[in-house]
Amino acid sequence: MSSPKERIWLEISVVVPSELSDAVANFFVETTGHGVKCEDIEPHPEGTLLVKITGYLAPEQAETGLIKKIYAYLASLEELYPEYRFKLEHRPLPEEEWETAWQVYFKPIKVGKRLVIKPSWEVYIPEPKEIVIEIDPGRAFGTGHHPSTYLILETLEELFEKELASPTVLDVGTGTGILAIAAAKLGAKEVIAIDIDPEATEVARENILRNHLHDKVFVSTTPIWEIFSGFDLICANISAYELELMAEKLTELLNTKGFLLLSGFLKEEAHKLKEKYLSSGLKLYQEKTDREFQEWTMLAFQKD
């Protein structure tokens, strides 16, 4: 019997002056949804310290227009910094190598006032009142670095502080389970986390066990259309296309006075989604855009 074909990732890298390294690294993370490596290299002839930024595109991402977006971003940098040439290098990378290559970048990060996201291989001693969420992403999406994730995490913390007490929660497209775990640790009574990708649900279950929440967070591949009970809080960090299709169903599943948090889409897609959900009977509670690039948007609705 032949072994399954190995997935091949695309490793991309560019050398930039150190003052641009954070911006370029964040752009790679936002665009790909995966971690990056940052390595100091030999100084520029003019004495400027240079940094090599390395990012990763999954096999399915390499076939989309994401690489064109990265080229366009680097071209815009050359217009701003004509003394540099930002040449994008790329090479194929077996998935087994990718799984460890990006871990250098995944460090503990604080989101909001209390939430801290950390990988299992990093040691972190929390401050009083901090809530630590331990995440190993495996092949699933969601480490807290991407704006679509941290916008919801920040809003979750605010809602639990001001509006919610022991809610029932539905996490649609759970990925690593990060939003479901955050909701449980913030005080949810019960969380249902669903994802149509069996590999993602496997990763989510591992992370839920890692955070000792197996008695409160339940993972399933059940499609959203086959869920019928109501929830006080629903999180959906998925594409604008999927969110548009699910508008009526998500509104139906939301209990009266409940909150619906949507993310995973760009700023230019927000208006159409906002109109769709307002027309379904919800009211807009909050709208947020990521702080650095002002590209990603989160919409929070409430059901009267």
Side-chain angles (χ1 to χ4, degrees):
M1 181 182 290
S2 60
S3 58
K5 186 178 178 181
E6 184 178 30
R7 282 162 49 93
I8 302 297
W9 287 60
L10 186 66
E11 180 183 84
I12 55 174
S13 60
V14 63
V15 175
V16 302
S18 59
E19 65 266 26
L20 292 177
S21 60
D22 284 348
V24 175
N26 287 337
F27 178 81
F28 274 24
V29 171
E30 288 195 3
T31 304
T32 67
H34 306 293
V36 301
K37 288 194 299 184
C38 302
E39 303 166 278
D40 293 343
I41 61 173
E42 292 297 319
H44 188 268
E46 297 179 1
T48 304
L49 179 65
L50 300 177
V51 179
K52 183 179 181 181
I53 312 295
T54 303
Y56 306 91
L57 289 171
E60 56 274 13
Q61 289 178 309
E63 298 170 4
T64 68
L66 283 184
I67 193 75
K68 291 182 180 178
K69 183 178 180 181
I70 293 168
Y71 275 117
Y73 174 71
L74 296 178
S76 69
L77 284 184
E78 287 189 356
E79 292 180 9
L80 294 172
Y81 302 88
E83 66 271 30
Y84 295 104
R85 286 293 173 264
F86 301 104
K87 183 181 179 182
L88 190 70
E89 304 283 350
H90 48 82
R91 72 178 182 95
L93 186 72
E95 186 162 61
E96 184 177 343
E97 292 182 36
W98 165 80
E99 289 178 354
T100 56
W102 62 270
Q103 291 183 359
V104 177
Y105 182 75
F106 186 11
K107 302 293 183 182
I109 60 166
K110 189 166 185 178
V111 180
K113 297 177 184 176
R114 295 189 293 156
L115 295 175
V116 176
I117 317 299
K118 69 171 284 294
S120 62
W121 58 86
E122 288 282 340
V123 175
Y124 183 83
I125 300 173
E127 298 289 334
K129 296 187 178 180
E130 282 187 342
I131 298 172
V132 177
I133 299 171
E134 194 167 284
I135 293 290
D136 281 0
R139 296 182 180 88
F141 175 81
T143 63
H145 287 75
H146 196 276
S148 64
T149 307
Y150 73 62
L151 286 171
I152 287 192
L153 287 170
E154 287 178 351
T155 309
L156 275 177
E157 188 179 65
E158 293 164 8
L159 286 175
F160 274 92
E161 187 178 328
K162 300 174 183 176
E163 305 278 3
L164 295 168
S166 299
T168 53
V169 180
L170 176 66
D171 180 18
V172 182
T174 195
T176 60
I178 187 171
L179 299 179
I181 291 166
K185 290 203 168 192
L186 285 165
K189 179 169 67 176
E190 182 180 87
V191 184
I192 305 298
I194 62 172
D195 202 302
I196 59 172
D197 181 358
E199 203 161 41
T201 55
E202 182 181 337
V203 171
R205 287 190 182 98
E206 290 171 359
N207 285 323
I208 287 159
L209 287 170
R210 191 172 281 114
N211 287 273
H212 311 290
L213 292 170
H214 52 280
D215 59 340
K216 187 180 280 191
V217 184
F218 306 95
V219 184
S220 173
T221 54
T222 302
I224 185 77
W225 319 109
E226 296 178 17
I227 294 176
F228 298 101
S229 60
F231 299 87
D232 304 313
L233 172 65
I234 300 176
C235 302
N237 183 11
I238 50 180
S239 72
Y241 173 73
E242 292 170 303
L243 290 172
E244 190 173 353
L245 289 179
M246 294 180 184
E248 289 185 15
K249 182 62 177 179
L250 291 176
T251 302
E252 172 195 321
L253 289 174
L254 194 62
N255 290 337
T256 302
K257 301 297 181 185
F259 291 90
L260 173 62
L261 308 185
L262 307 180
S263 191
F265 48 89
L266 296 171
K267 189 175 182 179
E268 58 262 29
E269 299 171 304
H271 179 73
K272 187 177 179 181
L273 279 174
K274 193 191 305 183
E275 293 300 312
K276 181 77 173 179
Y277 280 83
L278 289 173
S279 67
S280 71
L282 302 180
K283 69 175 184 180
L284 184 66
Y285 177 80
Q286 195 175 41
E287 182 173 354
K288 288 183 180 179
T289 304
D290 74 278
R291 293 177 292 273
E292 186 161 5
F293 292 101
Q294 300 289 302
E295 281 192 325
W296 298 88
T297 299
M298 189 280 312
L299 295 172
F301 297 94
Q302 188 174 22
K303 190 173 188 178
D304 282 333

